Amino acid sequence: MLRNGLEPWHLLIVAVVLVVLFGSKKLPDTARALGKSMRILKSEAKAMKDENAPAAGQAPRGEMTADAPRNTGGQTLPRTAAADASGTAH
């Protein structure tokens, strides 16, 4: 039954059903919005990939070492129990 996958007449039937359900005026707007969403998704995925692969010789952003001081807005925060259990000095 599905030996050949999608044939051209299958796509034609799907297109006719979409036009009947949504109307010919709403379909271009929907396609435009879908395209815009796909571009945004692609750019965000690229930004995340670039963020996770820093240049050689640079420390990754946002990661702290065990002996790095923690501060937020000028206030030093206390170390967590996990950091104390790991044996790092205060």
Side-chain angles (χ1 to χ4, degrees), residues 8-23 27:
W9 64 273
H10 291 132
L11 298 176
L12 180 65
I13 291 174
V14 170
V16 168
V17 168
L18 287 174
V19 169
V20 168
L21 287 177
F22 297 108
L27 284 177

Side-chain angles (χ1 to χ4, degrees), residues 15-85:
V16 168
V17 168
L18 287 174
V19 169
V20 168
L21 287 177
F22 297 108
S24 61
K25 291 186 180 191
K26 202 170 191 176
L27 284 177
D29 293 336
T30 304
R32 200 171 299 118
L34 180 63
K36 186 176 181 180
S37 298
M38 292 301 293
R39 281 192 300 274
I40 291 171
L41 179 66
K42 185 177 177 181
S43 68
E44 290 296 324
K46 184 179 183 297
M48 286 177 60
K49 185 178 179 182
D50 292 344
E51 184 177 294
N52 288 338
Q58 290 182 343
R61 290 188 343 210
E63 291 187 20
M64 294 191 307
T65 60
D67 59 341
R70 299 180 192 186
N71 64 39
T72 306
Q75 296 178 341
T76 302
L77 301 175
R79 295 205 177 264
T80 62
D84 291 338

